[in-house]
C-alpha cells in the first residue's frame, strides 16, 4: 500500500474545502445570507465564473492527495521491510502519467512531430540541418507529412464529441437536481431553463459546461499522442506544467487571503471599537507596515525562509516536502504583510457601527465588550471581509508572477504560472521565437484571474448595496411621440 504524504499545503487546502462546506451549510440555514448568495448566482458572468473556478478547484484537490509508491523488494532485504519511492506523486500525476512519461529531448512546437531544434545530418556526403522526429509526439504516424492533419482533426473532433457528451450528461444530472428541488418534472425544469424563465440563469452554466467540455475533450483526445502545447527546453510537456500550476495559483490565492483575516479582523474591529490609545497603536503598526515597499518586505521574508530551509535539510525526507513548505511559508508571508488594507476598512466601518443604537443599548445593559464585538460588530462587517477576500484572491495570483520575476517566488521544482513566465523571458528573446510556454501560461492564468474577478464583482454587487446603488448606468432617452 502506498505511503500517504501529508504536505502542509494539502492539509490547508482540504481544511479550506471543509470550511467552505461548513459555510455553505450555514448559508442554507440563514435566509438572509441565502438570498444574498442567490443574487450572486443570478449574475450570469458570476455563475459562469463559478463553474470555471469549481473545475479548477477539482484539479487542485486531485493534485493535493500525495503519496509515495511501494518499491519492489530489493535483493537481500530483510523480510517485512518496505521501501518507498523517493518521488512524491499525486492523483493528478497518476491521471497525467502519459504526459510525464513522454519527455522529449528539448523544445517542440504544439502538436508537432519533429523537434524545434535542428541537428546536423550527413546526407550523401552533404551535411544538412534537419529537425529530427520526436520520440513520443506523433510517433504513431508512419508518414507525418501526409497523415498529420487528418489524424489531428480526427482525434480532436472525437475528443470534442466525447467531451460534449460528458458535459451534456452533467447538464442532465443538474436538471434532475433542479427539478427535484422545485418539486417538478425534469421536462418542465428543462423547458423553463431553455426558455430562460428561471431566477438563476442555468442556461449560462450549461453553455459554460459545454464549451469547457468541448475544449477539454479535444485536448484529452490529442494529448495521448501529441504535445498539445509543445515542450519546454528540458522536453517536459507544457500542458502538464500549466495543469500543475493551477494548484499553485489556487493555494497562493486561497491560503494567502485567509492568512490576512485573523490580524485584519481582530485588529480592525478593536481599533474601531475601543478607539483611544488602542486605535493609535494599531494605526501606527499598519501605517509603518504600509510605508515599507511590499515587494521588498516580502523578498526579505522569503529570503530568510530560504536560508532556514537550506540550513536544515534533515527536516525533509523528499524534495517535494521542502518545496511545499516553502510554498506554505510564502502564503503565510503574503498574508501577514497584506492585512493593512482590510484592517483599515474594518476599522472605519466599526467606528460607524459602535455609535448605533443597538450597540449603545447592549453596552448600557452591561454586555461585555468582547461579546458586543463578536455578536453585534463582526456580523455587520462580515460582508466587507467577504468582498475583500474574494477580490484579493485574483490579485495574489498575479502577485506570485511578479515575485517569480524578481526571483523570490515558489521553489524552482514547483510548477507555477509565474515560474513559467519567468523562464519564458529568455525564450522570447530567441531567434526563432519560442512562444508557446509563455502563451500557455498567459492564457491559463488570465482565464483563472478573469473568472475570479467576475465572480468577485458578483459577490460585491450582492453583498454591498452601495455597489448596486452607485453603479454607473447608461443614460436612456425616451422617444418623442409621433
Amino acid at each position: 500500500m502506498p505511503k500517504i504524504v501529508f504536505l502542509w499545503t494539502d492539509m490547508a487546502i482540504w481544511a479550506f474545502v471543509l470550511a467552505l462546506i461548513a459555510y455553505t451549510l450555514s448559508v442554507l440555514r440563514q435566509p438572509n445570507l441565502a438570498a444574498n448568495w442567490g443574487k450572486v448566482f443570478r449574475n450570469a458572468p458570476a455563475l459562469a465564473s463559478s463553474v470555471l473556478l469549481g473545475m479548477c478547484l477539482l484539479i487542485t484537490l486531485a493534485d493535493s492527495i500525495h503519496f509515495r509508491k511501494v518499491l519492489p523488494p530489493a535483493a537481500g532485504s530483510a523480510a517485512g521491510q518496505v521501501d518507498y519511492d523517493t518521488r512524491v506523486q499525486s492523483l493528478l500525476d497518476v491521471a497525467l502519467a502519459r504526459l510525464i512519461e513522454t519527455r522529449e529531448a528539448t523544445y517542440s512546437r504544439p502538436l508537432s512531430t519533429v523537434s524545434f531544434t535542428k541537428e546536423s545530418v550527413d546526407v550523401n556526403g552533404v551535411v544538412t540541418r534537419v529537425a529530427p522526429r520526436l520520440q513520443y509526439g506523433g510517433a504513431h504516424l508512419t508518414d507525418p507529412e501526409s497523415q498529420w492533419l487528418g489524424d489531428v482533426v480526427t482525434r480532436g473532433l472525437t475528443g470534442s464529441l466525447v467531451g460534449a457528451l460528458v458535459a451534456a450528461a452533467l447538464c442532465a444530472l443538474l436538471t434532475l437536481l433542479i427539478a427535484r428541488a422545485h418539486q417538478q418534472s425534469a421536462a418542465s425544469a428543462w423547458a423553463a431553463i431553455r426558455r430562460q424563465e428561471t431566477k438563476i440563469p442555468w442556461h449560462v452554466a450549461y453553455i459554460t459546461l459545454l464549451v469547457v467540455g468541448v475544449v477539454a475533450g479535444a485536448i484529452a483526445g490529442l494529448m495521448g499522442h501529441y504535445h498539445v502545447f509543445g515542450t519546454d527546453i528540458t522536453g517536459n510537456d507544457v500542458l502538464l506544467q500549466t495543469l500543475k500550476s493551477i494548484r499553485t495559483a489556487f493555494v497562493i490565492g486561497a491560503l494567502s487571503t485567509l492568512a490576512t483575516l485573523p490580524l485584519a479582523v481582530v485588529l480592525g474591529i478593536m481599533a474601531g471599537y475601543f478607539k483611544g490609545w488602542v486605535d493609535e497603536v494599531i494605526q501606527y503598526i499598519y501605517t509603518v507596515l504600509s510605508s515599507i515597499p511590499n515587494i521588498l518586505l516580502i523578498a526579505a521574508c522569503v529570503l530568510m525562509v530560504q536560508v532556514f530551509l537550506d540550513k536544515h535539510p534533515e527536516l525533509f525526507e523528499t524534495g517535494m516536502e521542502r518545496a511545499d513548505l516553502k510554498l506554505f511559508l510564502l502564503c503565510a508571508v503574503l498574508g501577514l504583510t497584506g492585512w493593512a488594507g482590510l484592517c483599515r476598512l474594518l476599522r472605519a466601518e466599526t467606528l460607524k457601527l459602535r455609535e448605533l443604537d443597538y450597540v449603545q443599548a447592549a453596552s448600557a445593559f452591561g454586555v461585555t465588550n468582547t461579546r458586543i464585538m463578536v455578536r453585534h460588530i463582526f456580523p455587520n462587517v462580515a460582508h466587507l471581509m467577504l468582498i475583500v477576500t474574494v477580490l484579493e484572491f485574483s490579485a495574489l495570483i498575479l502577485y506570485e508572477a511578479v515575485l517569480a520575476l524578481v526571483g523570490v517566488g515558489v521553489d524552482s521544482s514547483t510548477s507555477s504560472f509565474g515560474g513559467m513566465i519567468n523562464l519564458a523571458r529568455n525564450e522570447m528573446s530567441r531567434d526563432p521565437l519560442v512562444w508557446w510556454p509563455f502563451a500557455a501560461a498567459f492564457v491559463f492564468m488570465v482565464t483563472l484571474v478573469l473568472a475570479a474577478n467576475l465572480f468577485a464583482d458578483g459577490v460585491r454587487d450582492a453583498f454591498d448595496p452601495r455597489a448596486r446603488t452607485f453603479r454607473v448606468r447608461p443614460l436612456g432617452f425616451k422617444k418623442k411621440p409621433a
Side-chain angles (χ1 to χ4, degrees), residues 81-386:
Q81 179 180 351
V82 180
D83 296 323
Y84 297 97
D85 193 353
T86 56
R87 296 179 303 167
V88 178
Q89 295 179 301
S90 68
L91 292 183
L92 184 64
D93 294 332
V94 175
L96 302 176
R98 170 68 179 172
L99 297 183
I100 299 174
E101 295 169 358
T102 56
R103 180 176 178 178
E104 306 290 350
T106 184
Y107 292 115
S108 66
R109 290 186 177 90
L111 298 175
S112 179
T113 60
V114 296
S115 175
F116 177 74
T117 305
K118 295 183 178 181
E119 297 179 355
S120 298
V121 178
D122 188 353
V123 180
N124 298 326
V126 180
V127 177
T128 58
R129 300 281 292 176
V130 298
R133 282 286 302 273
L134 295 176
Q135 184 178 359
Y136 300 101
H140 61 290
L141 302 178
T142 57
D143 185 10
E145 291 186 1
S146 60
Q147 298 174 344
W148 176 81
L149 181 60
D151 187 67
V152 168
V153 172
T154 301
R155 293 184 184 278
L157 291 178
T158 303
S160 297
L161 179 60
V162 174
L165 292 176
V166 173
L170 292 176
C171 293
L173 178 61
L174 183 58
T175 302
L176 291 176
L177 295 176
I178 295 171
R180 183 177 179 182
H182 291 82
Q183 297 180 354
Q184 58 183 355
S185 65
S188 301
W190 168 248
I193 293 171
R194 183 171 52 84
R195 293 193 297 266
Q196 303 180 18
E197 295 175 352
T198 57
K199 292 183 178 179
I200 296 177
W202 291 112
H203 64 283
V204 174
Y206 288 4
I207 293 172
T208 305
L209 280 173
L210 287 173
V211 171
V212 172
V214 169
V215 174
I219 292 175
L222 291 167
M223 71 180 187
H225 300 83
Y226 299 94
H227 301 289
V228 181
F229 295 152
T231 57
D232 62 6
I233 188 172
T234 58
N236 291 312
D237 194 279
V238 174
L239 174 61
L240 173 66
Q241 297 179 38
T242 52
L243 292 177
K244 298 281 288 184
S245 298
I246 291 176
R247 177 185 183 272
T248 305
F250 236 94
V251 166
I252 291 177
L255 301 190
S256 301
T257 304
L258 294 178
T260 64
L261 296 183
L263 281 174
V265 173
V266 173
L267 296 182
I269 292 178
M270 287 179 60
Y273 182 79
F274 289 112
K275 297 197 296 186
W277 68 269
V278 175
D279 185 21
E280 292 178 359
V281 170
I282 295 174
Q283 281 193 76
Y284 180 80
I285 293 173
Y286 69 62
T287 302
V288 171
L289 184 64
S290 300
S291 65
I292 304 173
N294 216 19
I295 191 69
L296 296 180
L297 181 61
I298 294 172
C301 295
V302 171
L303 290 176
M304 287 190 292
V305 168
Q306 184 67 45
V307 170
F308 172 79
L309 297 179
D310 291 340
K311 288 187 175 181
H312 298 84
E314 70 280 358
L315 297 177
F316 316 103
E317 294 184 4
T318 62
M320 172 70 79
E321 296 178 13
R322 179 183 180 278
D324 182 79
L325 181 59
K326 182 178 180 181
L327 175 60
F328 182 81
L329 294 176
L330 174 63
C331 296
V333 169
L334 288 172
L336 295 176
T337 56
W339 56 271
L342 179 57
C343 180
R344 185 182 293 111
L345 182 63
L346 295 180
R347 169 188 173 271
E349 188 69 14
T350 305
L351 283 172
K352 180 185 73 174
L353 293 174
R354 75 181 303 275
E355 303 299 334
L356 297 182
D357 293 341
Y358 66 91
V359 176
Q360 296 294 328
S363 179
F365 279 107
V367 180
T368 62
N369 292 328
T370 302
R371 189 174 181 83
I372 291 175
M373 288 187 288
V374 172
R375 296 295 300 274
H376 300 294
I377 301 295
F378 176 75
N380 289 284
V381 299
H383 69 285
L384 295 176
M385 181 185 68
L386 179 63

Side-chain angles (χ1 to χ4, degrees), residues 9 12-13 16 53 56-57 60 245-261 327-328 330-336 338 385-401 403 410 415-417 445 448-449 452-453:
T9 54
I13 282 294
F16 168 75
L53 292 175
C56 291
L57 181 59
T60 300
S245 298
I246 291 176
R247 177 185 183 272
T248 305
F250 236 94
V251 166
I252 291 177
L255 301 190
S256 301
T257 304
L258 294 178
T260 64
L261 296 183
L327 175 60
F328 182 81
L330 174 63
C331 296
V333 169
L334 288 172
L336 295 176
M385 181 185 68
L386 179 63
I387 293 169
V388 173
T389 298
V390 178
L391 288 172
E392 286 295 318
F393 178 85
S394 57
L396 287 165
I397 295 176
L398 296 174
Y399 214 93
E400 185 273 328
L403 293 176
V410 300
S415 298
S416 69
F417 294 127
M445 185 176 69
L448 180 58
V449 171
N453 282 338

